[in-house]
Amino acid sequence: MTRQAITTHILDLVTGRPAAGVVVQLFESEKLLASGLTDSDGRVLNWSDAFELRSSTYKLVFSVGSYFLKQGLEPFYEDIAIAFRTSELENHYHVPLLLSHYGYSTYRGS
């Protein structure tokens, strides 16, 4: 399996479990590159389309509103967008999302 240049996962801080079934879209400079759905471990293992990592600005958009509705919670956030820059093309960019229905946090993972 080829190592993906950009990966993500979501942890639901309310339940302490991975957030499964969340649609994630990946954009480069406002152009949609690929999309994916988080699995039972909260990870997007396969993007819908292949892409080559470039020195650029990327954005992950997490569609969390419907996820929280399925949990029986009124969502405050409908979508969460995380924009980041890439410059070290030999490196892997992992961008996790720690999520609750009233807040979120992110960091550059490994």
Side-chain angles (χ1 to χ4, degrees):
M1 182 169 148
T2 304
R3 184 174 177 181
Q4 293 186 26
I6 297 174
T7 59
T8 188
H9 78 272
I10 307 172
L11 178 62
D12 183 334
L13 296 176
V14 174
T15 64
R17 298 187 179 281
V22 177
V23 173
V24 181
Q25 295 177 303
L26 175 64
F27 293 84
E28 180 190 6
S29 301
E30 304 304 319
K31 177 187 174 203
L32 179 62
L33 286 182
S35 62
L37 187 68
T38 57
D39 64 10
S40 62
D41 197 32
R43 299 179 184 278
V44 175
L45 292 179
N46 296 302
W47 292 109
S48 62
D49 296 296
F51 59 90
E52 184 176 327
L53 185 67
R54 302 184 317 160
S55 182
S56 188
T57 300
Y58 290 88
K59 180 170 52 176
L60 289 166
V61 177
F62 301 85
S63 299
V64 298
S66 60
Y67 168 78
F68 283 119
L69 287 173
K70 289 178 188 172
Q71 308 302 313
L73 298 169
E74 181 70 26
F76 180 71
Y77 299 104
E78 197 61 40
D79 296 306
I80 296 172
I82 301 170
F84 58 97
R85 290 205 40 85
T86 57
S87 59
E88 301 164 349
L89 301 183
E90 67 282 354
N91 286 349
H92 169 235
Y93 290 85
H94 184 64
V95 184
L97 177 64
L98 306 176
L99 179 64
S100 82
H101 54 296
Y102 289 118
Y104 64 91
S105 179
T106 186
Y107 58 95
R108 181 173 178 185
S110 57

